[in-house]
Amino acid sequence: MDVSNILASHAAKYPSTVVEKDTPLVLDPGYLTVTDLNPIDEDSYKANLEEYLQSTARDGIQALLASLFALPTHPSPDGPLAQLPPPITALPRAKPLPKPKQPTKWERFAAAKGIQKKVREKKVWDEERQEWVNRWGRDGKNKEKEEQWITEVKANADVDFDPVKAARDERKSRVAKNERQRLQNAARSQTAHADREERKKDIEKTLAATRVSTASMGKFDKKLEGEKKLRGVKRKFEPTEISITKEKEASLAILSKLDGETRRSKREKGEDDTLNVRKAIRTASRGRGGVALGRESSGRGRGGKRGGKR
C-alpha cells in the first residue's frame, strides 16, 4: 500500500518543527523569550494581518519549545523536569538594589563565635502520636506540656498551682521576648541608618566649608569622585522703584510687626497692650515724610498737647 500521498498531505497540513529564517531567532530560555529580528513582510502584513501575526508567533513558540526540549532533564514524582539556564538578556532594574540589612545582635555574636546557622525543620516526630507534627503553630510540639493529661508537680509547689497555666504563661513569655528582640533589632537598624545619614550630611557640610576656604573660593580645586556641585544661596534685592500699593503694603507689614512685638513685650511685663495711635502715626510719618513731615507732625503734636491742656 502506497502511503506517500497521505504523508505528503499530512506534512503540508502541519508546518515543520524546524524553524528556518533569514535572520536566526534570538532565544533566551532563561526568560522564556524569543526575539525575531527579521523585517516585516509588507505584502503578507497588508494582505492578512491576523494570519501573518499567528504565523510569526507560531514560529517563535516552536523554536522556544524546541530549545526547552533540548535541555537536560532529571526525573521527579511529577515527571521529568528541566533546569532553565541563566538568562542572557540584560534587563534594567525598575528600582535600585535593596540596601543590605543591619545584622541583628545574635547574628553579630554568631559571626564572632563562628556559629553556623542551621535551618530547623517545620515538622518533628512525636513518639506518643507516632506521627509528624508541627514544631510551632496549631497542634504544635511546643504546646505538648499544655495538653498533657498528667503532669509531675514539685513537692513545694503552691496548693493552687496550675501546670497548664504555667506552661502557657512560659510559652507566651517566650513569644513576647522574641517580639521584643525583633523590635529592638528594628530600632537599632533604624538608628544606624539615621546616624549614617547624619554623618553624611556633616561630611557634606565640612566639604562645602573647605571648598570655599581657598583664595579662588574653590574654583581651581581638584574635584573629588562623586562630589556634588555646591549650590549657593542667592540674595534677593527689592527693586529701587516700586508702586505705591506695594510700598503701602510693606509699610503696613512693618507697622504690624512692630505692633505685635510691642504688645508681646508689654504682655510679658504685665503692662497694658492697648495700641498707642499717636505713636504709630508719628512712626509712620517719619518713615514716609522725612524732615518736613516730621516737623509738621511735631507741630501737630504740640497743638494736640495744647488742646489736651485746654
Side-chain angles (χ1 to χ4, degrees):
M1 180 179 180
D2 188 9
V3 295
S4 58
N5 295 331
I6 300 176
L7 294 177
S9 61
H10 187 273
K13 185 178 180 181
Y14 297 99
S16 175
T17 57
V18 180
V19 179
E20 295 181 356
K21 291 197 173 186
D22 297 338
T23 303
L25 299 176
V26 179
L27 301 175
D28 190 353
Y31 282 142
L32 300 178
T33 58
V34 182
T35 305
D36 190 353
L37 301 178
N38 291 277
I40 298 175
D41 188 358
E42 295 184 1
D43 297 336
S44 302
Y45 184 85
K46 294 178 180 180
N48 194 335
L49 176 60
E50 190 68 23
E51 182 180 355
Y52 177 77
L53 293 178
Q54 289 182 0
S55 175
T56 305
R58 180 265 165 196
D59 293 342
I61 295 174
Q62 179 63 54
L64 178 61
L65 292 177
S67 64
L68 293 179
F69 278 101
L71 296 174
T73 60
H74 59 275
S76 69
D78 298 330
L81 296 179
Q83 182 68 30
L84 296 178
I88 59 175
T89 304
L91 298 178
R93 289 183 58 90
K95 296 182 179 180
L97 290 172
K99 296 180 180 180
K101 295 183 179 180
Q102 294 291 333
T104 62
K105 189 175 181 180
W106 163 252
E107 290 175 349
R108 291 198 300 269
F109 175 78
K113 297 296 183 179
I115 301 175
Q116 300 293 333
K117 182 178 179 180
K118 296 180 180 179
V119 180
R120 304 178 68 179
E121 298 292 339
K122 295 182 179 180
K123 297 282 187 178
V124 292
W125 179 256
D126 192 348
E127 294 291 344
E128 296 181 0
R129 302 179 186 178
Q130 290 296 313
E131 62 180 0
W132 293 93
V133 297
N134 296 326
R135 187 184 295 272
W136 308 281
R138 183 179 180 181
D139 300 332
K141 187 70 173 176
N142 60 338
K143 298 179 183 178
E144 62 179 357
K145 293 183 179 180
E146 305 174 18
E147 301 174 355
Q148 291 179 354
W149 66 276
I150 184 171
T151 306
E152 182 179 359
V153 181
K154 294 183 179 180
N156 58 352
D158 297 336
V159 179
D160 57 347
F161 176 76
D162 188 356
V164 177
K165 182 177 181 301
R168 186 183 301 110
D169 294 342
E170 182 182 358
R171 178 176 58 83
K172 290 185 177 181
S173 65
R174 290 196 302 268
V175 174
K177 179 182 177 182
N178 293 336
E179 180 65 17
R180 185 172 64 254
Q181 290 179 347
R182 186 188 68 81
L183 295 176
Q184 290 176 355
N185 291 329
R188 193 180 297 109
S189 176
Q190 187 175 4
T191 304
H193 179 70
D195 294 342
R196 184 167 59 253
E197 293 295 331
E198 186 176 356
R199 288 197 301 270
K200 183 179 178 181
K201 291 181 180 179
D202 292 341
I203 292 174
E204 290 180 355
K205 289 181 180 178
T206 305
L207 181 61
T210 56
R211 205 183 310 174
V212 296
S213 61
T214 58
S216 62
M217 299 295 289
K219 183 177 180 180
F220 301 104
D221 294 350
K222 184 179 179 180
K223 302 296 180 181
L224 301 177
E225 184 178 357
E227 182 179 356
K228 296 181 180 179
K229 184 178 179 181
L230 180 63
R231 295 183 178 180
V233 179
K234 295 184 178 180
R235 296 181 58 187
K236 295 183 179 180
F237 298 94
E238 296 293 337
T240 55
E241 297 181 0
I242 58 177
S243 62
I244 299 176
T245 305
K246 291 185 178 180
E247 185 177 1
K248 178 182 176 180
E249 292 177 356
S251 301
L252 291 176
I254 295 173
L255 290 176
S256 177
K257 183 178 180 181
L258 291 174
D259 178 50
E261 293 178 355
T262 304
R263 288 172 179 267
R264 193 182 305 109
S265 62
K266 286 185 177 182
R267 283 196 299 268
E268 293 176 354
K269 295 178 181 179
E271 301 177 359
D272 186 13
D273 59 348
T274 305
L275 175 63
N276 191 339
V277 180
R278 292 182 178 275
K279 186 176 181 180
I281 293 173
R282 288 198 300 270
T283 304
S285 300
R286 293 194 192 98
R288 292 198 304 266
V291 179
L293 186 56
R295 291 174 182 174
E296 183 182 359
S297 301
S298 61
R300 290 178 182 176
R302 286 195 298 271
K305 290 180 180 179
R306 286 196 297 271
K309 290 179 180 179
R310 292 175 187 174

